[in-house]
Amino acid sequence: MERRNRSLKALEELRYIDSLESYERADALVKWYSKYLNDMKVTDFDLEMKDFQALLELFYKNINFLKEHVKQTKEDMVTNRKMVRFLKN
């Protein structure tokens, strides 16, 4: 029962994280991963099939979000470097 409760809590937290803004969402995903997947595998989750499907959808959605977030962060860093160089001159 404890494993099921932990699994449901992880799913609910992931659903909440999905509603956050970009930088908050990225930070929350890192914390979520550390909390639930460092010491536990996805296959260890005790969920019903519909909950597993929801978890799977959120995983793929957040993986794609993180890929885009990395690209955007890189672009922001380049822009900031250019701005710093400009302001120094």
Side-chain angles (χ1 to χ4, degrees):
M1 193 62 165
E2 182 180 323
R3 192 172 93 174
R4 175 138 175 88
N5 289 340
R6 181 175 165 87
S7 300
L8 289 171
K9 184 177 177 185
L11 178 60
E12 288 306 313
E13 284 183 25
L14 195 56
R15 284 181 176 146
Y16 170 74
I17 290 169
D18 191 51
S19 69
L20 297 174
E21 294 296 320
S22 183
Y23 283 97
E24 292 174 343
R25 184 174 172 190
D27 291 338
L29 284 170
V30 170
K31 291 176 185 173
W32 185 90
Y33 174 83
S34 296
K35 184 176 181 179
Y36 292 106
L37 293 180
N38 265 349
D39 59 343
M40 190 174 168
K41 298 178 194 172
V42 173
T43 54
D44 294 336
F45 281 51
D46 185 13
L47 296 170
E48 294 178 9
M49 184 57 77
K50 66 180 174 104
D51 292 332
F52 262 124
Q53 288 173 339
L55 185 69
L56 178 67
E57 289 174 13
L58 288 169
F59 267 25
Y60 282 111
K61 184 177 178 182
N62 285 311
I63 287 171
N64 289 331
F65 161 76
L66 288 173
K67 288 178 183 177
E68 290 300 316
H69 183 70
V70 166
K71 288 179 189 176
Q72 183 62 44
T73 302
K74 285 181 182 178
E75 291 173 10
D76 291 346
M77 288 175 67
V78 168
T79 302
N80 288 340
R81 283 188 201 130
K82 289 179 182 177
M83 186 65 75
V84 167
R85 285 186 199 137
F86 175 77
L87 293 174
K88 283 184 179 180
N89 293 330

Coordinates of all heavy atoms in Angstrom, one line a residue:
M1 N 0.8 -1.2 0.0 CA 0.0 0.0 0.0 C 0.9 1.3 0.0 O 0.5 2.2 -0.6 CB -0.9 0.0 1.2 CG -2.0 1.0 1.2 SD -3.1 0.6 -0.3 CE -4.4 1.6 0.1
E2 N 2.0 1.2 0.7 CA 2.9 2.4 0.8 C 3.4 2.7 -0.6 O 3.5 3.8 -1.0 CB 4.0 2.1 1.8 CG 4.9 3.3 1.9 CD 6.0 3.0 2.9 OE1 5.8 2.4 3.9 OE2 7.2 3.5 2.6
R3 N 3.8 1.6 -1.3 CA 4.3 1.8 -2.7 C 3.3 2.4 -3.6 O 3.6 3.3 -4.4 CB 4.8 0.5 -3.2 CG 5.7 0.6 -4.5 CD 6.3 -0.7 -4.8 NE 5.4 -1.3 -5.8 CZ 5.6 -2.4 -6.4 NH1 6.7 -3.1 -6.2 NH2 4.8 -2.9 -7.3
R4 N 2.1 2.0 -3.5 CA 1.0 2.5 -4.3 C 0.8 4.0 -4.0 O 0.6 4.8 -4.9 CB -0.3 1.8 -4.1 CG -1.5 2.3 -4.8 CD -2.3 1.3 -5.5 NE -3.5 1.8 -6.1 CZ -3.5 2.3 -7.3 NH1 -2.5 2.3 -8.1 NH2 -4.7 2.8 -7.8
N5 N 0.7 4.3 -2.7 CA 0.5 5.7 -2.3 C 1.7 6.6 -2.8 O 1.4 7.7 -3.3 CB 0.4 5.9 -0.8 CG -0.8 5.3 -0.2 OD1 -1.8 5.1 -0.9 ND2 -0.8 5.0 1.0
R6 N 2.9 6.1 -2.7 CA 4.0 6.9 -3.2 C 3.9 7.1 -4.8 O 4.2 8.1 -5.3 CB 5.3 6.2 -2.9 CG 6.6 6.9 -3.4 CD 7.8 6.1 -2.8 NE 9.0 6.5 -3.5 CZ 9.8 7.6 -3.2 NH1 9.5 8.3 -2.1 NH2 10.9 7.9 -3.8
S7 N 3.5 6.0 -5.5 CA 3.3 6.1 -6.9 C 2.3 7.1 -7.3 O 2.4 7.9 -8.2 CB 3.0 4.7 -7.5 OG 4.0 3.8 -7.2
L8 N 1.1 7.1 -6.6 CA 0.1 8.1 -6.9 C 0.5 9.5 -6.6 O 0.2 10.4 -7.3 CB -1.2 7.7 -6.1 CG -1.9 6.4 -6.6 CD1 -3.0 6.1 -5.6 CD2 -2.5 6.6 -8.0
K9 N 1.2 9.6 -5.5 CA 1.7 11.0 -5.1 C 2.7 11.5 -6.2 O 2.6 12.6 -6.6 CB 2.5 10.9 -3.8 CG 2.9 12.3 -3.3 CD 3.6 12.2 -1.9 CE 4.1 13.6 -1.5 NZ 4.8 13.5 -0.3
A10 N 3.6 10.6 -6.7 CA 4.5 11.0 -7.8 C 3.7 11.4 -9.0 O 4.1 12.4 -9.7 CB 5.4 9.8 -8.1
L11 N 2.7 10.7 -9.4 CA 1.9 11.0 -10.6 C 1.2 12.4 -10.4 O 1.2 13.2 -11.3 CB 0.9 9.9 -10.9 CG -0.1 10.2 -12.0 CD1 0.7 10.3 -13.3 CD2 -1.1 9.0 -12.1
E12 N 0.6 12.6 -9.2 CA 0.0 13.9 -9.0 C 0.9 15.0 -9.0 O 0.6 16.1 -9.5 CB -0.8 13.8 -7.6 CG -2.0 13.0 -7.7 CD -3.0 13.3 -8.8 OE1 -3.3 14.5 -8.9 OE2 -3.4 12.4 -9.5
E13 N 2.1 14.8 -8.4 CA 3.1 15.9 -8.5 C 3.6 16.2 -9.9 O 3.7 17.4 -10.2 CB 4.3 15.5 -7.6 CG 4.1 15.6 -6.1 CD 5.3 15.3 -5.3 OE1 6.5 15.5 -5.8 OE2 5.2 14.9 -4.1
L14 N 3.7 15.2 -10.7 CA 4.1 15.4 -12.1 C 3.0 16.1 -12.8 O 3.3 17.0 -13.7 CB 4.4 14.0 -12.8 CG 5.1 14.1 -14.1 CD1 6.5 14.8 -13.9 CD2 5.4 12.7 -14.6
R15 N 1.7 15.8 -12.5 CA 0.6 16.6 -13.2 C 0.7 18.1 -12.8 O 0.5 18.9 -13.6 CB -0.7 16.0 -12.7 CG -1.0 14.7 -13.4 CD -2.4 14.2 -13.0 NE -2.7 13.0 -13.8 CZ -3.4 11.9 -13.3 NH1 -3.8 11.9 -12.1 NH2 -3.6 10.9 -14.1
Y16 N 1.0 18.3 -11.5 CA 1.1 19.7 -11.0 C 2.2 20.4 -11.7 O 2.1 21.5 -12.2 CB 1.2 19.7 -9.5 CG 1.6 21.1 -9.0 CD1 0.6 22.1 -9.0 CD2 2.9 21.4 -8.6 CE1 0.9 23.4 -8.6 CE2 3.2 22.7 -8.2 CZ 2.2 23.7 -8.2 OH 2.6 24.9 -7.7
I17 N 3.4 19.7 -11.8 CA 4.6 20.3 -12.4 C 4.3 20.7 -13.9 O 4.8 21.7 -14.4 CB 5.8 19.3 -12.3 CG1 6.2 19.2 -10.9 CG2 6.9 19.7 -13.2 CD1 7.2 18.1 -10.6
D18 N 3.5 19.9 -14.5 CA 3.1 20.1 -15.9 C 2.4 21.5 -16.1 O 2.5 22.0 -17.2 CB 2.3 19.0 -16.4 CG 2.1 19.0 -17.9 OD1 3.1 19.1 -18.6 OD2 1.0 19.0 -18.4
S19 N 1.9 22.0 -15.1 CA 1.1 23.3 -15.2 C 2.0 24.5 -14.9 O 1.5 25.6 -15.0 CB -0.1 23.3 -14.2 OG 0.3 23.3 -12.9
L20 N 3.2 24.3 -14.5 CA 4.1 25.4 -14.1 C 4.7 26.2 -15.3 O 4.7 25.6 -16.4 CB 5.2 24.9 -13.2 CG 4.8 24.3 -11.9 CD1 6.0 23.8 -11.2 CD2 4.1 25.4 -11.0
E21 N 5.2 27.4 -15.0 CA 5.9 28.1 -16.1 C 7.2 27.5 -16.4 O 7.7 26.7 -15.6 CB 6.0 29.6 -15.6 CG 4.7 30.3 -15.5 CD 4.0 30.5 -16.8 OE1 4.6 30.8 -17.8 OE2 2.7 30.4 -16.7
S22 N 7.8 27.9 -17.5 CA 9.0 27.3 -18.0 C 10.1 27.0 -17.0 O 10.5 25.9 -16.8 CB 9.5 28.1 -19.2 OG 10.6 27.5 -19.8
Y23 N 10.7 28.1 -16.5 CA 11.9 27.8 -15.6 C 11.5 27.1 -14.3 O 12.3 26.3 -13.8 CB 12.6 29.2 -15.3 CG 13.5 29.6 -16.4 CD1 13.0 30.6 -17.3 CD2 14.7 29.1 -16.7 CE1 13.7 31.0 -18.4 CE2 15.5 29.5 -17.8 CZ 15.0 30.5 -18.6 OH 15.7 30.8 -19.7
E24 N 10.3 27.4 -13.8 CA 9.9 26.7 -12.6 C 9.6 25.2 -12.9 O 10.0 24.4 -12.1 CB 8.6 27.3 -12.1 CG 8.7 28.7 -11.5 CD 7.4 29.3 -11.2 OE1 6.3 28.8 -11.7 OE2 7.4 30.3 -10.5
R25 N 9.1 25.0 -14.0 CA 8.8 23.6 -14.4 C 10.1 22.8 -14.6 O 10.2 21.7 -14.1 CB 8.1 23.7 -15.8 CG 7.6 22.3 -16.3 CD 6.8 22.5 -17.5 NE 6.4 21.3 -18.2 CZ 5.9 21.2 -19.4 NH1 5.6 22.4 -20.0 NH2 5.6 20.1 -19.9
A26 N 11.1 23.4 -15.2 CA 12.4 22.7 -15.4 C 13.0 22.4 -14.0 O 13.5 21.2 -13.8 CB 13.3 23.5 -16.2
D27 N 13.0 23.3 -13.1 CA 13.6 23.1 -11.8 C 12.8 22.0 -11.1 O 13.3 21.1 -10.4 CB 13.6 24.4 -11.0 CG 14.6 25.4 -11.5 OD1 15.6 25.0 -12.2 OD2 14.4 26.6 -11.2
A28 N 11.5 22.1 -11.2 CA 10.6 21.1 -10.5 C 10.8 19.7 -11.0 O 10.8 18.7 -10.3 CB 9.2 21.5 -10.6
L29 N 11.0 19.6 -12.3 CA 11.2 18.3 -12.9 C 12.5 17.6 -12.4 O 12.6 16.4 -12.2 CB 11.3 18.4 -14.5 CG 9.9 18.5 -15.1 CD1 10.1 18.9 -16.6 CD2 9.1 17.3 -15.0
V30 N 13.6 18.5 -12.3 CA 14.8 17.9 -11.7 C 14.6 17.4 -10.3 O 15.1 16.3 -10.0 CB 15.9 19.0 -11.8 CG1 17.2 18.6 -11.0 CG2 16.3 19.4 -13.2
K31 N 13.9 18.2 -9.5 CA 13.6 17.8 -8.1 C 12.8 16.5 -8.1 O 13.0 15.6 -7.3 CB 13.0 18.9 -7.3 CG 13.9 20.1 -7.1 CD 13.2 21.2 -6.4 CE 14.1 22.4 -6.3 NZ 13.4 23.6 -5.8
W32 N 11.8 16.5 -9.0 CA 10.9 15.3 -9.0 C 11.7 14.1 -9.4 O 11.5 13.0 -8.8 CB 9.8 15.6 -10.1 CG 8.7 14.5 -10.1 CD1 7.6 14.4 -9.4 CD2 8.8 13.3 -10.9 NE1 6.9 13.2 -9.7 CE2 7.6 12.5 -10.6 CE3 9.7 12.8 -11.9 CZ2 7.3 11.3 -11.3 CZ3 9.4 11.6 -12.5 CH2 8.2 10.9 -12.2
Y33 N 12.5 14.2 -10.4 CA 13.4 13.1 -10.8 C 14.2 12.6 -9.6 O 14.3 11.4 -9.4 CB 14.2 13.4 -12.0 CG 15.2 12.3 -12.4 CD1 14.8 11.3 -13.2 CD2 16.5 12.4 -11.9 CE1 15.7 10.3 -13.5 CE2 17.4 11.3 -12.2 CZ 17.0 10.3 -13.0 OH 17.9 9.3 -13.3
S34 N 14.9 13.5 -8.9 CA 15.7 13.2 -7.8 C 14.9 12.5 -6.7 O 15.4 11.5 -6.1 CB 16.4 14.4 -7.2 OG 17.2 15.0 -8.2
K35 N 13.7 12.9 -6.5 CA 12.9 12.4 -5.4 C 12.4 11.0 -5.8 O 12.4 10.1 -4.9 CB 11.7 13.3 -5.1 CG 10.9 12.9 -4.0 CD 9.8 14.0 -3.7 CE 8.9 13.6 -2.6 NZ 7.9 14.7 -2.3
Y36 N 11.9 10.8 -7.0 CA 11.2 9.5 -7.3 C 12.0 8.5 -8.2 O 11.7 7.4 -8.1 CB 9.9 9.9 -8.0 CG 8.9 10.5 -7.1 CD1 8.6 11.9 -7.2 CD2 8.3 9.8 -6.1 CE1 7.7 12.5 -6.3 CE2 7.4 10.4 -5.2 CZ 7.1 11.7 -5.3 OH 6.3 12.4 -4.4
L37 N 12.9 9.0 -8.9 CA 13.6 8.0 -9.9 C 15.0 7.8 -9.6 O 15.7 6.9 -10.2 CB 13.4 8.5 -11.3 CG 12.0 8.5 -11.8 CD1 12.0 9.0 -13.3 CD2 11.4 7.1 -11.7
N38 N 15.6 8.4 -8.6 CA 17.0 8.1 -8.2 C 17.1 6.8 -7.5 O 18.0 6.0 -7.8 CB 17.6 9.2 -7.3 CG 18.4 10.2 -8.0 OD1 18.7 10.1 -9.2 ND2 18.7 11.3 -7.3
D39 N 16.2 6.5 -6.7 CA 16.2 5.2 -5.9 C 15.1 4.2 -6.3 O 15.0 3.2 -5.7 CB 16.1 5.5 -4.4 CG 14.8 6.2 -4.1 OD1 14.1 6.8 -5.0 OD2 14.4 6.3 -2.9
M40 N 14.4 4.6 -7.4 CA 13.2 3.8 -7.8 C 13.2 3.8 -9.3 O 13.4 4.8 -9.9 CB 12.0 4.3 -7.2 CG 10.7 3.6 -7.3 SD 9.5 4.4 -6.3 CE 8.0 3.6 -6.8
K41 N 12.8 2.7 -9.9 CA 12.6 2.6 -11.4 C 11.1 2.9 -11.7 O 10.3 2.7 -10.8 CB 13.0 1.3 -11.9 CG 14.4 0.9 -11.7 CD 14.6 -0.5 -12.3 CE 15.9 -1.1 -11.8 NZ 16.1 -2.5 -12.1
V42 N 10.9 3.3 -12.9 CA 9.5 3.5 -13.3 C 8.7 2.2 -13.2 O 7.5 2.2 -12.9 CB 9.4 4.0 -14.8 CG1 8.0 4.1 -15.3 CG2 10.1 5.4 -14.9
T43 N 9.4 1.1 -13.5 CA 8.7 -0.2 -13.4 C 8.3 -0.6 -11.9 O 7.5 -1.5 -11.7 CB 9.6 -1.3 -14.0 OG1 10.8 -1.3 -13.3 CG2 9.7 -1.1 -15.5
D44 N 8.9 0.1 -11.0 CA 8.6 -0.1 -9.6 C 7.3 0.6 -9.1 O 6.8 0.4 -8.0 CB 9.7 0.3 -8.7 CG 10.9 -0.6 -8.9 OD1 10.8 -1.7 -9.3 OD2 12.1 -0.1 -8.6
F45 N 6.8 1.5 -10.0 CA 5.6 2.2 -9.6 C 4.4 1.3 -9.6 O 4.3 0.4 -10.4 CB 5.3 3.3 -10.7 CG 6.1 4.6 -10.5 CD1 7.5 4.5 -10.3 CD2 5.5 5.8 -10.4 CE1 8.2 5.7 -10.1 CE2 6.2 7.0 -10.2 CZ 7.6 6.9 -10.1
D46 N 3.5 1.4 -8.7 CA 2.4 0.6 -8.5 C 1.1 1.4 -8.9 O 0.5 2.0 -8.1 CB 2.2 0.1 -7.1 CG 1.1 -0.9 -6.9 OD1 0.6 -1.4 -7.9 OD2 0.8 -1.2 -5.7
L47 N 0.8 1.4 -10.2 CA -0.3 2.2 -10.8 C -1.2 1.3 -11.6 O -0.7 0.3 -12.2 CB 0.3 3.3 -11.6 CG 1.1 4.4 -10.9 CD1 1.8 5.3 -11.9 CD2 0.3 5.2 -9.9
E48 N -2.4 1.7 -11.8 CA -3.3 1.0 -12.7 C -2.9 1.4 -14.1 O -2.2 2.4 -14.3 CB -4.7 1.5 -12.4 CG -5.2 1.0 -11.1 CD -6.6 1.5 -10.8 OE1 -7.3 2.0 -11.7 OE2 -7.1 1.3 -9.6
M49 N -3.4 0.7 -15.1 CA -3.0 0.9 -16.5 C -3.3 2.4 -16.9 O -2.5 3.0 -17.6 CB -3.8 -0.1 -17.4 CG -3.3 0.1 -18.9 SD -1.6 -0.2 -19.1 CE -1.4 -1.9 -19.0
K50 N -4.5 2.9 -16.6 CA -4.8 4.3 -17.0 C -3.8 5.3 -16.4 O -3.4 6.3 -17.0 CB -6.2 4.6 -16.7 CG -6.6 4.7 -15.3 CD -8.0 5.1 -15.0 CE -8.3 5.0 -13.6 NZ -8.5 6.2 -12.9
D51 N -3.4 5.0 -15.2 CA -2.5 5.9 -14.5 C -1.1 5.8 -15.1 O -0.3 6.8 -15.3 CB -2.4 5.6 -13.0 CG -3.7 6.0 -12.3 OD1 -4.4 6.9 -12.8 OD2 -4.0 5.4 -11.3
F52 N -0.7 4.6 -15.5 CA 0.6 4.4 -16.2 C 0.6 5.1 -17.6 O 1.6 5.7 -18.0 CB 0.9 2.9 -16.4 CG 1.8 2.3 -15.4 CD1 1.4 1.2 -14.7 CD2 3.1 2.8 -15.2 CE1 2.3 0.6 -13.8 CE2 3.9 2.3 -14.3 CZ 3.5 1.2 -13.5
Q53 N -0.6 5.1 -18.2 CA -0.6 5.7 -19.5 C -0.5 7.3 -19.3 O 0.2 7.9 -20.1 CB -2.0 5.4 -20.2 CG -2.0 4.0 -20.7 CD -3.3 3.6 -21.3 OE1 -4.4 4.2 -21.0 NE2 -3.3 2.6 -22.1
A54 N -1.1 7.8 -18.3 CA -1.0 9.2 -18.0 C 0.4 9.6 -17.6 O 1.0 10.6 -18.1 CB -1.9 9.6 -16.8
L55 N 1.1 8.7 -16.9 CA 2.5 8.9 -16.5 C 3.4 8.9 -17.8 O 4.2 9.7 -17.9 CB 2.9 7.8 -15.5 CG 4.3 8.0 -15.0 CD1 4.4 9.2 -14.0 CD2 4.7 6.7 -14.2
L56 N 3.1 8.0 -18.7 CA 3.9 7.8 -19.9 C 3.7 9.1 -20.7 O 4.7 9.7 -21.3 CB 3.4 6.6 -20.7 CG 4.0 6.4 -22.0 CD1 5.5 6.0 -21.9 CD2 3.3 5.3 -22.8
E57 N 2.5 9.6 -20.9 CA 2.2 10.8 -21.6 C 3.0 12.0 -21.0 O 3.6 12.8 -21.7 CB 0.7 11.1 -21.7 CG 0.0 10.1 -22.6 CD -1.5 10.4 -22.5 OE1 -2.0 11.4 -22.0 OE2 -2.3 9.5 -23.0
L58 N 2.9 12.1 -19.7 CA 3.6 13.2 -19.0 C 5.1 13.1 -19.2 O 5.8 14.1 -19.4 CB 3.2 13.3 -17.6 CG 1.8 13.7 -17.3 CD1 1.5 13.5 -15.8 CD2 1.7 15.2 -17.6
F59 N 5.6 11.9 -19.2 CA 7.1 11.7 -19.4 C 7.5 12.2 -20.7 O 8.4 13.0 -20.9 CB 7.4 10.2 -19.3 CG 7.9 9.7 -18.0 CD1 7.5 10.3 -16.8 CD2 8.7 8.6 -17.9 CE1 7.9 9.9 -15.6 CE2 9.1 8.1 -16.6 CZ 8.7 8.8 -15.5
Y60 N 6.8 11.8 -21.8 CA 7.2 12.2 -23.1 C 6.9 13.7 -23.3 O 7.8 14.4 -24.0 CB 6.4 11.4 -24.2 CG 6.9 10.0 -24.4 CD1 6.2 8.9 -24.0 CD2 8.2 9.8 -25.0 CE1 6.8 7.6 -24.2 CE2 8.7 8.6 -25.1 CZ 8.0 7.5 -24.7 OH 8.6 6.2 -24.9
K61 N 5.9 14.2 -22.8 CA 5.6 15.6 -22.9 C 6.7 16.4 -22.2 O 7.2 17.4 -22.7 CB 4.3 16.0 -22.3 CG 3.8 17.4 -22.4 CD 2.5 17.6 -21.8 CE 2.0 19.0 -21.8 NZ 0.7 19.2 -21.2
N62 N 7.1 16.0 -21.0 CA 8.2 16.7 -20.3 C 9.6 16.5 -20.9 O 10.4 17.4 -20.8 CB 8.2 16.3 -18.8 CG 7.0 17.0 -18.1 OD1 6.8 18.2 -18.3 ND2 6.2 16.2 -17.4
I63 N 9.8 15.4 -21.5 CA 11.1 15.2 -22.2 C 11.2 16.2 -23.4 O 12.2 16.8 -23.5 CB 11.3 13.7 -22.7 CG1 11.5 12.8 -21.5 CG2 12.4 13.6 -23.7 CD1 11.5 11.3 -21.9
N64 N 10.1 16.3 -24.1 CA 10.1 17.3 -25.2 C 10.3 18.7 -24.7 O 11.0 19.5 -25.3 CB 8.9 17.1 -26.1 CG 8.9 15.8 -26.9 OD1 10.0 15.3 -27.2 ND2 7.7 15.3 -27.2
F65 N 9.6 19.0 -23.6 CA 9.7 20.3 -23.0 C 11.1 20.6 -22.6 O 11.7 21.7 -22.9 CB 8.8 20.4 -21.8 CG 9.2 21.5 -20.9 CD1 8.9 22.8 -21.2 CD2 9.9 21.3 -19.7 CE1 9.3 23.9 -20.4 CE2 10.3 22.3 -18.9 CZ 10.0 23.6 -19.2
L66 N 11.8 19.6 -22.0 CA 13.2 19.8 -21.5 C 14.1 20.0 -22.7 O 15.1 20.8 -22.6 CB 13.7 18.7 -20.7 CG 13.0 18.6 -19.3 CD1 13.4 17.4 -18.5 CD2 13.5 19.8 -18.5
K67 N 13.9 19.3 -23.8 CA 14.7 19.5 -25.0 C 14.6 20.9 -25.5 O 15.6 21.6 -25.8 CB 14.3 18.5 -26.1 CG 14.7 17.1 -25.8 CD 14.3 16.2 -26.9 CE 14.6 14.7 -26.7 NZ 14.1 13.8 -27.7
E68 N 13.4 21.4 -25.6 CA 13.1 22.8 -26.0 C 13.7 23.8 -25.0 O 14.2 24.9 -25.4 CB 11.6 23.0 -26.3 CG 11.1 22.3 -27.5 CD 11.8 22.7 -28.8 OE1 12.0 23.9 -29.0 OE2 12.2 21.8 -29.6
H69 N 13.5 23.5 -23.8 CA 14.0 24.4 -22.7 C 15.5 24.5 -22.8 O 16.1 25.6 -22.6 CB 13.6 23.9 -21.3 CG 14.0 24.8 -20.2 ND1 13.4 26.0 -20.0 CD2 14.9 24.6 -19.2 CE1 13.9 26.5 -18.9 NE2 14.9 25.7 -18.5
V70 N 16.2 23.5 -23.1 CA 17.7 23.5 -23.2 C 18.1 24.4 -24.4 O 19.0 25.3 -24.3 CB 18.3 22.1 -23.4 CG1 19.7 22.1 -23.9 CG2 18.2 21.3 -22.1
K71 N 17.4 24.3 -25.5 CA 17.7 25.1 -26.7 C 17.4 26.6 -26.3 O 18.2 27.5 -26.6 CB 16.8 24.7 -27.8 CG 17.1 23.4 -28.5 CD 16.1 23.2 -29.6 CE 16.3 21.8 -30.2 NZ 15.3 21.4 -31.2
Q72 N 16.3 26.9 -25.7 CA 16.0 28.3 -25.3 C 17.0 28.8 -24.3 O 17.4 30.0 -24.4 CB 14.6 28.3 -24.7 CG 14.1 29.8 -24.4 CD 14.1 30.6 -25.7 OE1 13.6 30.2 -26.7 NE2 14.6 31.8 -25.6
T73 N 17.4 28.0 -23.4 CA 18.4 28.5 -22.4 C 19.7 28.8 -23.1 O 20.4 29.8 -22.7 CB 18.6 27.4 -21.3 OG1 17.3 27.2 -20.7 CG2 19.6 27.9 -20.2
K74 N 20.1 28.0 -24.0 CA 21.4 28.2 -24.7 C 21.3 29.6 -25.5 O 22.2 30.4 -25.5 CB 21.7 27.1 -25.7 CG 22.2 25.9 -25.0 CD 22.5 24.8 -26.1 CE 23.0 23.5 -25.4 NZ 23.3 22.5 -26.4
E75 N 20.1 29.8 -26.2 CA 19.9 31.0 -26.9 C 20.0 32.2 -25.9 O 20.6 33.3 -26.3 CB 18.6 31.0 -27.6 CG 18.6 30.0 -28.8 CD 17.2 29.9 -29.4 OE1 16.3 30.7 -29.1 OE2 17.1 29.0 -30.3
D76 N 19.4 32.1 -24.8 CA 19.4 33.2 -23.8 C 20.8 33.5 -23.3 O 21.1 34.6 -23.1 CB 18.5 32.8 -22.6 CG 17.0 32.8 -22.9 OD1 16.6 33.3 -24.0 OD2 16.2 32.3 -22.1
M77 N 21.6 32.4 -23.1 CA 22.9 32.6 -22.7 C 23.8 33.3 -23.7 O 24.6 34.2 -23.4 CB 23.6 31.3 -22.3 CG 23.0 30.7 -21.0 SD 23.7 29.0 -20.7 CE 25.4 29.4 -20.4
V78 N 23.6 33.0 -25.0 CA 24.3 33.7 -26.1 C 23.9 35.1 -26.1 O 24.8 36.0 -26.2 CB 24.0 33.0 -27.4 CG1 24.5 33.8 -28.6 CG2 24.7 31.6 -27.4
T79 N 22.6 35.4 -26.0 CA 22.2 36.8 -26.0 C 22.7 37.6 -24.8 O 23.2 38.7 -25.0 CB 20.6 36.8 -25.9 OG1 20.1 36.1 -27.0 CG2 20.1 38.2 -26.0
N80 N 22.8 36.9 -23.7 CA 23.3 37.6 -22.5 C 24.8 37.9 -22.7 O 25.3 39.0 -22.3 CB 23.1 36.8 -21.2 CG 21.7 36.8 -20.8 OD1 20.9 37.7 -21.2 ND2 21.3 35.8 -20.0
R81 N 25.6 37.0 -23.2 CA 27.0 37.2 -23.5 C 27.2 38.4 -24.4 O 28.1 39.2 -24.2 CB 27.6 36.0 -24.1 CG 27.9 34.9 -23.0 CD 28.7 33.8 -23.6 NE 28.6 32.6 -22.8 CZ 28.3 31.4 -23.3 NH1 28.1 31.2 -24.6 NH2 28.1 30.4 -22.5
K82 N 26.4 38.4 -25.5 CA 26.5 39.5 -26.4 C 26.2 40.9 -25.8 O 26.9 41.9 -26.0 CB 25.5 39.3 -27.6 CG 26.0 38.2 -28.5 CD 25.0 38.0 -29.7 CE 25.3 36.9 -30.6 NZ 24.3 36.7 -31.6
M83 N 25.2 40.9 -24.9 CA 24.8 42.1 -24.2 C 25.9 42.5 -23.2 O 26.3 43.7 -23.2 CB 23.5 41.8 -23.4 CG 23.0 43.1 -22.7 SD 22.5 44.3 -23.9 CE 20.9 43.6 -24.5
V84 N 26.6 41.6 -22.5 CA 27.7 41.9 -21.6 C 28.8 42.5 -22.4 O 29.4 43.5 -22.0 CB 28.1 40.7 -20.8 CG1 29.4 40.9 -20.2 CG2 27.0 40.3 -19.8
R85 N 29.2 41.9 -23.6 CA 30.2 42.4 -24.4 C 29.9 43.9 -24.9 O 30.8 44.7 -24.9 CB 30.5 41.5 -25.6 CG 31.2 40.3 -25.3 CD 31.5 39.5 -26.5 NE 31.8 38.1 -26.2 CZ 31.3 37.0 -26.9 NH1 30.6 37.2 -27.9 NH2 31.6 35.8 -26.5
F86 N 28.7 44.1 -25.3 CA 28.3 45.4 -25.8 C 28.4 46.4 -24.6 O 28.9 47.5 -24.8 CB 26.8 45.3 -26.3 CG 26.3 46.6 -26.7 CD1 26.7 47.2 -27.9 CD2 25.4 47.3 -25.8 CE1 26.1 48.5 -28.2 CE2 24.9 48.5 -26.2 CZ 25.2 49.1 -27.4
L87 N 27.9 46.0 -23.4 CA 27.9 47.0 -22.3 C 29.3 47.3 -21.8 O 29.6 48.4 -21.3 CB 27.1 46.5 -21.2 CG 25.6 46.4 -21.5 CD1 24.8 45.7 -20.4 CD2 25.0 47.8 -21.7
K88 N 30.3 46.4 -22.0 CA 31.6 46.6 -21.6 C 32.3 47.6 -22.5 O 33.2 48.3 -22.1 CB 32.4 45.3 -21.6 CG 32.2 44.4 -20.4 CD 33.0 43.2 -20.4 CE 32.8 42.4 -19.1 NZ 33.6 41.2 -19.1
N89 N 31.9 47.7 -23.7 CA 32.5 48.6 -24.7 C 31.9 50.0 -24.6 O 31.5 50.8 -24.3 CB 32.4 48.1 -26.1 CG 33.3 46.8 -26.3 OD1 34.3 46.7 -25.6 ND2 32.8 46.0 -27.2

